[in-house]
Amino acid sequence: MFALKSKLPEFDRIVLPGTSFANLRVLPRLLRWPVRFMKRLMDGHIIFPKHTEGFGIAAILGGAIIYGSVIGGQFGSVVDTVTAKAGFAVAEIEISGNTHTTANDVFAALRLGDQRSLVSIDAGASRAALKQLPWVGGARIAKVYPDKLQIEIEERDAFAVWQQGEALTVVQEDGSVIGGYAADARLSALPFLVGKGAAEGGKAFVETVAKFDDLAGRVRAFIRIGTRRWNLRLDNGMTIRLPDEGLEDALVRLTELQAELGVLDRDLAAIDLRLKDRTIFALTENAQASREEFVKARAEAAKKARKERGSRI
């Protein structure tokens, strides 16, 4: 290692008290220049240019102002305003892929003001904001300079409308909720699921019923009963009570009864298929009243016939 040498006279006097040049320690190479600079500064050999102090103070104050603006959230608005006036204000927004998500929903989520600059838009934060909208499953955002913003939305796929209590929601195939249901003709053709647990298990049940074309076209609601089994509500108000096991066998039996007797077109309130060895039919109130009138009329006719036979004897 080489000894620290200098042609400057002041370094001839840098000797630690109680030491000699023979025992003088050599500074590491990285510390030599700072030590020389500080020694020359303290001895007055370095003179700063005029106004350096003023510039230094201004730089410190400017840095403090910028730091405070960033911390206070004001720096972004300054950049936004300046770059917008420089020609980078958003003048065109192109939205694609949206069916249930309106343009107003997008504008509100992204907080796009009149002077919003394309430069200051954070694509990642914008995607996260759009994904908070009920129907948005994903989004892609592209900035086309100087003034165009392209937004491509990927919406969630609606499977059914689910009713639990008084609440109506739109759900996906796995039962996850997309959002509240609003009267929309585009959603009116979706399967209507009713009851606790109907959303989670609805897909498999709906697909099973769909195998029976004549029946599937008449179903208006798929009703979950006690999270164990299902009922069907038909377009004429009839209820089909299905078993928790042997579902397809019960549906086969129902289609056979329809082919032979036209049971789905009768004045019936319900058809109970929960028992394997028998089918139970429940009459509507009108049918029950008609039946009672028929039974009563038949009994009166029989009584009258008996009286007439007795009078002839």
Side-chain angles (χ1 to χ4, degrees), residues 27 32 34 37 75 82 89 93 105 111 128 135 153 218 241 244 249 255 273 280 301 304 310:
L27 291 174
R32 294 175 189 176
F37 178 82
F75 185 73
V82 172
I93 301 175
D105 294 334
R111 298 180 180 178
W135 282 93
I153 291 175
R218 307 182 68 162
R241 299 189 178 103
D244 53 354
D249 292 339
T255 55
L273 300 167
I280 302 173
K304 182 178 180 181

Side-chain angles (χ1 to χ4, degrees), residues 166-183:
E166 298 297 324
L168 291 175
T169 53
V170 182
V171 297
Q172 295 180 275
E173 288 185 345
D174 62 357
S176 58
V177 174
I178 294 176
Y181 172 79

Side-chain angles (χ1 to χ4, degrees), residues 297-312:
R298 188 173 63 175
E300 290 178 353
K303 183 178 179 181
K304 182 178 180 181
R306 287 195 298 270
K307 286 182 178 179
E308 289 178 353
R309 286 197 300 270
S311 62
R312 291 196 297 265

